[in-house]
Every structure is written in structure tokens, then in C-alpha cells.
């Protein structure tokens, strides 16, 4: 026998497969031949449904018989059995049905049986039954058996709610392309399981199979582990958006793609909705698909975002078209709406369908700002039922440079002259399945347990179970009382068996600890799995919450200067030297900053250009603008355009004046006034920085910055300094432990976190700003043995944003791949009064206005202490 296969690279079908992903030719899924008896079971359609009371169920079954016309199957029979999850038979006896042939109907048998109180399938409890159908000939001889795992569930749309087993389950989802950095579109079962375990561990419950039916094994695994699926037809006509969907010549192609998907996948419990495709306009061909789907499988609703699009383009951001398209979608399923738009929809009485965002929060690079605001809106407005983040995995392909260093490549690196550069690098996880920091924010916002403070003075809280089908008996809880970020007390939380969607108050029995002067206290609550599950070990943390405790501490008093050692002052050749007990600082009038700082014989600064100096620039994120594809950001459309237009990437510092005053023998004040800006706007920023140096070696820096550029949103406003490279050990009292920004820090806990400077770098495939920490009260940088270093605090009880890396902003900005980066030995420390938020403007709404860093005058301060001696004081 000869088996031949032809792969067609381009065809008319290419117009229907214009998705944003790698277009890879060839066969990347299993293709196989199999033999059946001449008379055989051609197909089974299992329809396990729940009755109206959602207690009992009914199993309906259509078994289609395949046979050549010359073979009569009159008198043949089909035997049906159903087994529960333990392999025990559900029916008391086999169900046997005899086949009758007729010209009026297809050759099939139909079966219906009531099932008393079956175990229900949901993502929380994915209980599966096994259905077995056997075919016998007229003499009772066995011919063939087929089986399918099925789950009893009901999905209905009632008004503004999609109800799964009667519950308006929130869709905590993500779009997922099939991608492997080594094998492309060929996905192993191990990779699929790794994805599912990550989804479950990070509290996601749903996947849109963007934008084509996935490998058949994926559906079986989602049935087993419990993932809701939006199964999407392989149709996207992006380049001819409203053309093919309205052309009758293409109707068969549209229909076949939808029909094949539904017929292949129809028995999977995990599928809760069908999708007619993606970004293909809306026409009669979609309406024909919708009508066929509804007739063939009325048990599932249908979504299609193109039905909400205007005639001339993609989904309209003004949402004026969201009330149309009923002939092709049961949902309002927009792409990248703003938070305000979905709130406006929820308040509009015309909205009588559930809103599930088919794509939102474009996760390109350092992204996913504003997620908190989306989920606050979803939980507080009826009719908003969640959505699918775009998307799951960075679609980078593994490459190796001429030095043997591996890195991930993107569009344009493979001779593909027409490409979208790194626009497929937009996942929540890296290609090797390590996670982006944004995943931790999403995990927090999707968690199934929520806590509200009732009375923190008496440590009373209320716990809400956001699950829909399971109580909280499967979880354990712990509380921690932190004083200045360090745990001083901890204990178990007695969690009641709180029913789904119910709340109950709990008393923790916390005892107020001793509060040192100037300290603050926080209560952290952690909830974990009590027992091992198929997707996580016992003890896996699923939810966390934190509150500031209302306990006052004594005010911290300053040490009187009279009790401090004296400072010797000298001034010559434009340099001001301050020498004290164990330290020396040198200010340079020409440079406008400290150029030398030694403490205990150790250099704190790394060079004569050490700082602190005003810093207003960051290497742009993909949301700020596409640094390698600036044609993608027409005038005014991206923050990066305004930053470059105003020269923020090339500012110079020019000193206007330096004054100093010996306040007393143990205190000196140094006042510097600096103009900062590009050549064409040298006074874009006017920076007055006052240093108060005390005899104990402490330095306070007070800043007043006047912003004279008309930019709506600056990259940042703070100072940068280059420190001794030995200060590798990095700890901070602020939010962490992972990277966070002002619009992406809801899931970041306040504590003293310990790490290294090297570990702060996040290797986004397109290098960009990274490593920020918010709400930092204090930080410590120490050498390897902890005997030298620097402590920095935000002045006057304020907070700061902090980044400590081995890379300059310019190094990150110039690099287009991670292998091009060259780390410096020094520690580049950035202390920000305010740092631009992240937003999602690479494709979608940008940063919310409340996070903008605009023009005006800003005042802020920092306090520095050198760390000396073996005790690290």
C-alpha cells in the first residue's frame, strides 16, 4: 500500500485563516487512517442534560449507523451502558435498541433515559461518566464498540446571565493559541497538561480556543481537569473583513468549518459555548452558521464578536453597535472595551444579553494594567460576566545567536518581510511556560475566596465563598500579623464550611503586638488547598488578602543634632566635601550631584556620575509604544510618541546654582538647582534638591520638581543613582514579591521581601521597562556578607516606587532581544516619587487617567543611611 499526502501552502482557504499568529505550513497534528466494519457506528451524539430543578437529569443519545447501501442493517442492534466515575454501571441492565431502516430518516437509533440525581459537571467539580455503545448484527454477533466521557450540565442564557447549572458563573478566562517555542504549532500532551495546571493554579476557569478548534486531546484534558471552553471555528478574514462573510460563494466554506468543529467536539462537557470565528465581519454566512448550530445543538449558546461590528470595520469602541447582531451571537462579546464602556452597558436598559469580553487586557510585554478596575466593574454590575484576556503564551520561537546564547525571536527574523514584529509576543506566560508577573495579579483578582474587614480592632472578618458549586471545606486558612513588614504573630483560621456564594463572619483572636515608634501593622490572610487535587499539591495557595491594622504606634523622635558627631566642611574648585565620623560626601557644582560617598571605607556610589539625579525616562513598554515599529503609532496615538517628541530620552542636566549652609556643627544643608531637558527645551524640568547631612552619616534629600512640558503622562518622576556593584542583596518593605505597578499591584502584598538585584530583571522578549516595586517604605542594598550597603526610606512617612537593576534605561531601550543586553557591574537604583502605570494600550485602552503623571510641581523626599559593620546597622 502507498499512502500519499499533499500539503498546500497557499490556497483560497488562506483568506479564511488570517489569524494573528505564526502561519506555519505542514502537518502539525496527528493524521491517521483507521478501519471499521462495513456496518459500524458512524457517530454518537450524547446529550446529558439537567431537568428544570437542576437535580435529576436526562441522557439523550443519537447513534448514527454507517453502512454501504448494499448492506442492510435491519435487525441490527445497539447496546448502551453508562458507567460512573468509579467504573460502576449506572443502569441496572443494558439498554438494547433495534435498528429499523426507513427512507424517511437517517439510519440511527435514538435513546432517552432519566437519571436520578447525577453528579454534575463543572470546572469546580469536573465529574465525568463514561458512555459505551456497542453494535451487534442481526445474529447477535459483536461488531464494534465506541465510548465517550460525558458530563451532566446545563448552559442557558436567561436575560443578562449565562447560567451554568443554574449559576451565573464568572468567566475567568484567557485566549490560548497553540504554540511551542521549539515545535511551533505541534503541541505535546505534556505541554497541554502544563498549561492546564497553570490555568488551575492561577484561578483561571475558562479558555477561548483562539482562533481555531484545538488538538482533540486538549478537550479531553479540559473535561477531566475542569476548564470551561469557548470552542472557536477556524475562520478569520481580517484582511477582507466584511467581504467574504457576505459573499454566497463562500457560504459553504464558512458552514463546513463550523459544522466540522461542532460535530467533532459536541460530546465534550467542557464546551459551554461555540464561537463562529474571529474578526470576520458579519454577514449572511455567519447567520447561516448560527442557525445550523442552534438547530443541531440547542444546548449551548453562541458568541461572535463580529456581529457587534459596524459595516465598515472592526468592533466599534464607542459600543454603539453592541445592541445589534442577534442573528449571530447570544452574547455581547466585545474586544478591548474600556472599563467605563462595560459599566455604561450594564447601566443601559437596552442590554438584555450577558457581556463576556472575548478579548481584553492585551498582555503584550509588561502589561495588564487596570485589571483591578475591570474586575471591580464585573463584580459590581449585573450582566457583566467576565472575559478572556489576550492571550496565554508569548509566541516566541527559540533561536541561538553566534555566541551560543538562546533567545526568543519574533516576526521578521525568518525571512518574513511582511510581519508584525513582536505583536505575537503578548502572553501571560513566556514560551517556556514560566509566568509573567502579571499572572500573579490576575490570580489574585480571580481568587475564589474573598475577605472583608468587619472590625479589625477585634480581628473580626467576613469570608465570602465565590465558588458556585463547592463549599470551603476543602481549604485551610492562616493569618499573619506583620509589624513593619515582618511577621510577629500567626495562627490558623477556623474556616466554616461556607456554602457556595455565601458569606460568614469569623473571629481570628489576634493579639496586638508591641508597636515600635513609627511602625505600622498589617494583617495577611492566606487560604490553601487542604488536600491534593489532580492539579495542585496540598498547601497550594489559592487566595490571599491583606488589611492595614488600625493600631497606632508612638511617633518616632529624631535624634537631637547636639548628640551627633561633628561634620567638617571644605569647599574648593567647585567641589563641596563633607567629612564626618566614618563617612565622606563630595558634591560637584558642575555635575549637580554627589560624586563621592564613602562610609566605613566602602564606596557607596560607583563613579563620579553616581547621583542622585532627576530621572524622567523609562525604556518604553509595548503599551507605551512600539520602539521597533514606530510606524504603528501615528502622531499622538501613543505615549512614546510624545516622550520622544519632547526629548525625554536625551535630557541633559545643567546646574544653575549650588549653595550650602553649616546649620550647626553636626548638620549641613546643600541646595542644588538644576535645569533638566533636551537641547531644544533645556528647562523642561526645574529641579531643586536640598540635602541635609547629619553627623551620624544620614542624608535627607528633599526635592521640588517643576514640570514644564505639556505631556499628559510622563514616564516617571524621581531620581537615579549608580551604586557599588557589591550591593547585590536587595530587600524592601513594600509591595511584592513580584514586579508591580500602581495599576497592577492589587495582588502584591506589603511585607519585607528579600531578593537580589539580578533577580529584579524580567526578561520580556522585547526588552522594556521592568522590575518596579510600589508603596515602598524602605529598602536595603547590602553586599554579600551584609557588612556594607545602603538603606533608603521615603521621607515623612510617604511611599516611593523603586527599581534596582544591572541595566541602564538606555541599554534596555536599545536592545531588541534579550541576548543583546549587557549587564553592568553596578547597581542602577531608581527612586521614584511616581512612576507611570502600565495600562494596555498595545491593543486596547491605555492607562486610566487617575494614574497619569502630568505637568505641575511635585515635592518629595528620601532619607539615606549607610549600612556599616558586621551587624549590618
Amino acid at each position: 500500500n502507498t499512502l500519499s499526502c499533499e500539503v498546500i501552502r497557499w490556497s483560497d482557504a488562506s483568506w479564511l485563516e488570517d489569524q494573528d499568529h505564526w502561519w506555519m505550513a505542514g502537518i502539525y497534528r496527528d493524521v491517521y487512517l483507521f478501519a471499521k466494519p462495513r456496518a459500524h457506528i458512524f457517530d454518537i451524539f450524547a446529550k446529558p442534560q439537567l431537568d428544570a430543578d437542576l437535580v435529576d437529569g436526562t441522557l439523550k443519545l443519537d447513534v448514527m449507523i454507517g453502512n454501504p447501501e448494499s448492506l442492510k442493517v435491519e435487525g441490527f442492534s445497539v447496546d448502551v451502558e453508562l458507567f460512573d466515575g468509579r467504573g460502576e454501571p449506572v443502569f441496572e441492565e443494558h439498554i438494547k435498541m433495534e435498528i429499523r431502516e426507513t427512507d424517511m430518516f437517517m439510519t440511527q437509533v435514538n435513546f432517552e433515559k432519566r437519571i436520578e440525581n447525577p453528579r454534575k459537571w463543572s470546572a469546580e467539580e469536573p465529574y465525568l461518566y463514561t458512555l459505551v455503545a456497542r453494535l451487534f448484527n442481526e445474529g447477535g454477533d459483536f461488531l464494534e464498540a465506541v465510548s465517550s466521557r460525558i458530563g451532566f450540565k446545563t448552559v442557558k442564557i436567561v436575560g443578562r446571565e449565562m447560567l451554568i447549572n443554574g449559576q451565573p458563573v464568572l468567566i475567568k478566562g484567557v485566549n490560548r493559541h497553540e504554540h511551542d517555542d521549539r515545535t511551533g504549532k505541534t503541541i505535546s500532551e505534556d505541554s497541554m497538561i502544563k498549561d492546564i495546571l497553570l490555568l488551575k493554579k492561577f484561578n483561571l476557569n475558562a479558555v477561548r480556543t483562539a482562533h481555531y478548534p484545538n488538538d482533540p486531546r486538549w478537550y479531553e484534558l479540559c473535561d477531566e481537569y475542569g476548564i470551561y471552553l469557548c470552542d472557536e471555528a477556524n475562520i478569520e478574514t481580517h484582511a477582507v473583513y466584511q467581504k467574504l462573510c457576505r459573499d454566497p460563494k463562500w457560504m459553504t466554506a464558512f458552514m463546513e468549518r463550523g459544522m466540522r468543529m461542532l460535530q467533532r467536539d459536541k460530546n465534550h462537557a467542557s464546551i459551554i459555548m461555540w464561537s463562529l470565528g474571529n474578526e470576520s465581519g458579519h454577514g449572511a454566512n455567519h447567520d447561516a452558521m448560527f442557525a445550523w448550530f442552534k438547530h443541531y445543538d440547542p444546548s449551548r449558546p453562541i458568541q461572535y464578536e463580529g456581529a457587534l461590528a459596524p459595516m465598515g470595520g472592526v468592533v466599534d469602541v464607542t459600543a454603539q453597535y453592541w445592541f445589534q447582531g442577534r442573528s449571530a451571537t447570544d452574547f455581547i462579546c466585545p474586544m478591548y472595551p474600556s472599563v467605563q464602556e462595560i459599566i455604561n452597558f450594564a447601566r443601559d436598559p437596552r442590554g438584555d444579553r450577558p457581556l463576556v469580553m472575548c478579548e481584553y487586557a492585551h498582555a503584550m510585554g509588561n502589561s495588564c494594567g487596570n485589571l483591578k478596575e475591570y474586575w471591580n466593574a464585573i463584580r459590581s454590575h449585573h450582566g457583566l460576566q467576565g472575559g478572556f484576556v489576550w492571550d496565554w503564551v508569548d509566541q516566541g520561537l527559540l533561536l541561538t545567536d553566534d555566541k551560543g546564547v538562546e533567545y526568543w525571536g519574533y516576526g521578521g527574523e525568518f525571512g518574513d518581510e511582511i510581519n508584525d514584529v513582536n505583536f505575537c509576543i503578548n502572553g501571560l506566560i513566556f514560551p517556556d511556560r514560566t509566568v509573567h508577573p502579571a499572572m500573579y495579579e490576575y490570580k489574585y483578582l480571580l481568587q475564589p475566596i474573598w475577605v472583608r474587614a468587619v472590625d479589625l480592632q477585634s480581628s473580626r472578618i467576613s469570608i465570602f465563598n465565590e465558588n458556585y458549586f463547592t463549599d470551603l471545606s476543602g481549604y485551610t486558612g492562616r493569618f499573619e500579623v506583620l509589624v513593619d513588614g515582618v511577621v510577629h504573630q500567626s495562627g490558623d483560621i477556623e474556616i466554616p464550611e461556607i456554602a457556595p456564594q455565601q458569606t460568614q463572619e469569623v473571629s481570628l483572636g489576634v493579639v496586638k503586638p508591641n508597636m515600635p515608634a513609627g511602625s505600622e501593622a498589617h494583617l495577611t490572610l492566606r487560604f490553601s488547598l487542604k488536600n491534593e487535587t489532580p492539579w495542585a499539591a496540598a498547601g497550594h495557595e489559592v487566595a490571599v488578602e491583606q488589611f492595614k491594622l488600625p493600631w497606632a504606634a508612638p511617633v518616632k523622635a529624631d535624634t537631637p543634632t547636639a548628640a551627633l558627631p561633628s561634620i567638617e566642611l571644605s569647599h574648593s574648585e567647585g567641589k563641596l566635601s563633607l567629612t564626618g565620623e566614618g563617612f565622606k560626601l563630595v558634591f560637584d557644582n558642575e555635575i549637580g550631584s554627589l560624586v563621592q560617598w564613602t562610609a566605613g571605607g566602602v564606596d557607596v556610589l560607583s563613579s563620579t556620575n553616581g547621583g542622585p539625579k532627576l530621572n524622567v525616562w523609562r525604556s518604553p513598554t509595548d503599551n507605551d509604544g512600539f520602539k521597533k515599529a514606530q510606524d504603528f503609532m501615528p502622531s499622538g496615538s501613543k505615549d512614546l510618541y510624545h516622550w520622544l517628541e519632547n526629548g525625554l530620552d536625551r535630557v541633559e542636566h545643567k546646574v544653575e546654582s549650588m549653595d550650602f549652609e553649616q546649620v550647626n556643627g553636626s548638620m549641613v544643608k546643600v541646595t542644588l538647582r538644576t535645569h533638566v531637558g533636551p537641547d531644544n527645551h533645556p528647562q523642561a524640568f526645574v529641579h531643586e534638591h536640598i540635602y541635609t547631612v547629619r553627623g551620624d552619616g544620614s542624608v535627607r534629600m528633599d526635592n521640588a520638581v517643576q514640570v514644564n512640558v505639556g505631556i499628559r503622562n510622563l514616564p516617571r518622576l524621581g531620581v537615579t543613582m549608580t551604586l557599588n556593584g557589591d550591593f547585590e542583596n536587595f530587600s524592601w518593605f513594600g509591595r511584592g514579591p513580584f514586579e508591580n505597578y500602581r495599576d497592577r499591584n492589587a495582588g502584591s502584598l506589603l511585607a519585607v521581601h528579600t531578593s537580589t538585584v539580578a533577580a529584579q530583571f524580567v526578561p520580556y522578549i522585547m526588552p522594556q521597562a521592568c522590575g518596579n516595586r510600589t508603596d515602598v517604605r524602605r529598602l536595603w542594598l547590602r553586599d554579600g556578607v551584609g557588612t556594607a550597603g545602603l538603606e533608603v526610606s521615603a521621607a515623612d512617612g510617604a511611599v516611593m516606587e523603586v527599581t534596582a537593576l544591572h541595566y541602564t534605561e538606555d541599554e534596555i531601550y536599545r536592545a531588541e532581544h534579550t541576548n543583546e543586553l549587557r549587564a553592568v557591574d553596578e547597581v542602577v537604583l531608581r527612586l521614584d516619587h511616581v512612576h507611570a502605570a502600565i495600562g494596555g494600550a498595545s491593543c486596547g485602552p491605555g492607562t486610566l487617567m487617575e494614574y497619569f503623571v502630568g505637568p505641575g510641581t511635585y515635592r518629595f523626599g528620601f532619607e539615606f543611611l549607610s549600612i556599616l559593620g558586621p551587624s549590618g546597622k
Side-chain angles (χ1 to χ4, degrees), residues 780-802:
W780 302 266
L781 286 155
R782 294 183 173 91
D783 64 10
V785 292
T787 59
L790 183 67
E791 175 185 295
V792 186
S793 303
D796 302 324
V799 296
M800 55 187 171
E801 299 188 57
V802 172

Side-chain angles (χ1 to χ4, degrees), residues 121-123 125-128 148-151 196 216-229 265 267-271:
W121 187 97
S122 69
E125 291 187 309
Y127 191 89
L128 293 171
S148 178
R149 292 198 299 177
I150 62 174
I196 288 175
R217 182 61 178 146
W218 172 253
Y219 300 84
E220 296 172 353
L221 293 169
C222 291
D223 292 343
E224 179 181 332
Y225 285 93
I227 297 290
Y228 299 122
L229 292 180
D265 298 339
N267 291 326
H268 287 288
S270 53
I271 297 173

Side-chain angles (χ1 to χ4, degrees), residues 141-176:
D141 298 324
F142 169 76
L143 298 178
E144 183 188 22
V146 298
S147 69
S148 178
R149 292 198 299 177
I150 62 174
F152 282 85
K153 75 175 193 306
T154 294
V155 184
K156 292 182 178 179
I157 289 183
V158 180
R160 287 188 169 198
E161 294 178 328
M162 175 183 63
L163 303 178
I164 300 175
N165 298 344
Q167 295 295 321
V169 175
L170 292 178
I171 299 302
K172 303 173 179 180
V174 69
N175 287 271
R176 175 183 174 271

Side-chain angles (χ1 to χ4, degrees), residues 553-596:
V555 177
K556 190 174 184 179
D558 288 335
T559 304
T561 55
L564 299 176
S566 62
I567 299 175
E568 180 182 331
L569 182 152
S570 66
H571 182 230
S572 64
E573 298 181 355
K575 288 185 171 60
L576 175 68
S577 297
L578 308 179
T579 305
E581 189 176 292
F583 71 90
K584 181 178 182 180
L585 295 96
V586 179
F587 293 87
D588 190 304
N589 185 40
E590 183 176 344
I591 293 177
S593 71
L594 278 167
V595 293
Q596 181 183 345

Side-chain angles (χ1 to χ4, degrees), residues 195-466:
D195 280 354
I196 288 175
L197 297 186
L198 280 172
L199 289 164
K200 299 288 285 189
K201 287 177 180 178
F202 281 83
N203 295 328
L204 285 88
N205 67 2
V207 169
R208 179 179 176 223
T209 67
H211 295 295
Y212 38 80
N214 284 187
D215 187 294
R217 182 61 178 146
W218 172 253
Y219 300 84
E220 296 172 353
L221 293 169
C222 291
D223 292 343
E224 179 181 332
Y225 285 93
I227 297 290
Y228 299 122
L229 292 180
C230 171
D231 201 12
E232 187 152 275
N234 186 12
I235 300 174
E236 179 166 340
T237 65
H238 210 134
V240 284
Y241 190 75
Q242 292 282 12
K243 187 174 183 179
L244 304 188
C245 62
R246 297 163 185 258
D247 187 340
K249 293 192 296 292
W250 290 83
M251 187 182 74
T252 300
F254 274 70
M255 289 293 295
E256 283 184 344
R257 286 167 178 259
M259 292 164 63
R260 289 200 303 261
M261 174 186 71
L262 192 153
Q263 288 175 319
R264 187 195 72 166
D265 298 339
K266 58 184 177 290
N267 291 326
H268 287 288
S270 53
I271 297 173
I272 60 169
M273 65 178 83
W274 303 109
S275 172
L276 304 184
N278 186 67
E279 293 179 328
S280 301
H282 177 213
N285 295 340
H286 289 113
D287 294 347
M289 291 174 67
F290 184 87
W292 189 90
F293 276 45
K294 284 293 185 184
H295 183 88
Y296 192 86
D297 179 26
S299 70
R300 295 179 177 101
I302 299 166
Q303 78 98 46
Y304 177 57
E305 53 80 25
L308 311 180
M311 173 64 184
V314 297
V315 175
D316 191 85
V317 295
T318 63
Q320 61 179 304
Y321 298 94
W322 288 6
F323 304 99
Q324 67 180 30
R326 296 175 186 273
S327 58
T329 183
D330 293 314
F331 295 88
I332 306 299
C333 45
M335 281 185 176
Y336 308 107
S338 69
V339 175
Q340 192 57 53
E341 282 170 338
I342 64 174
I343 291 174
N344 292 344
F345 166 81
R347 292 172 175 169
D348 194 318
R350 294 177 296 167
D352 58 356
R353 291 175 286 178
L355 186 147
V356 176
M357 295 173 284
C358 72
E359 295 176 23
Y360 79 111
H362 198 256
M364 187 176 181
N366 188 355
S367 190
C368 292
N370 311 338
L371 275 175
K372 175 183 67 176
E373 286 78 10
Y374 277 106
W375 279 90
N376 285 346
I378 289 165
R379 288 191 170 95
S380 60
H381 292 81
H382 181 248
L384 305 184
Q385 210 162 337
F388 301 91
V389 164
W390 186 268
D391 64 340
W392 178 238
V393 59
D394 286 336
Q395 295 170 62
L397 295 174
L398 194 66
L399 296 173
T400 304
D401 67 17
D402 54 7
K403 296 179 180 178
V405 178
E406 292 184 338
Y407 66 98
W408 285 304
Y410 44 76
E413 318 230 9
F414 304 91
D416 48 328
E417 294 182 9
I418 299 175
N419 64 79
D420 285 342
V421 198
N422 63 318
F423 203 68
C424 284
I425 308 298
N426 41 27
L428 287 167
I429 63 175
F430 290 100
D432 63 359
R433 271 53 185 178
T434 55
V435 302
H436 286 202
M439 271 282 276
Y440 293 97
E441 180 83 348
Y442 204 26
K443 176 185 178 181
Y444 168 78
L445 294 169
L446 304 184
Q447 64 189 23
I449 301 173
W450 290 95
V451 181
R452 182 176 62 85
V454 177
D455 181 2
L456 291 177
Q457 286 284 9
S458 59
S459 69
R460 287 194 62 79
I461 60 171
S462 68
I463 301 175
F464 172 62
N465 178 8
E466 194 174 78

Side-chain angles (χ1 to χ4, degrees), residues 24 28 179-188 397:
M24 293 181 174
Y28 38 81
H179 179 77
D180 185 279
D181 63 341
R182 298 170 186 266
T183 61
K185 307 299 289 185
T186 298
I187 310 299
S188 68
L397 295 174

Side-chain angles (χ1 to χ4, degrees), residues 88 374 576 699 744 769:
E88 298 294 329
Y374 277 106
L576 175 68
V699 180
R744 203 188 71 207

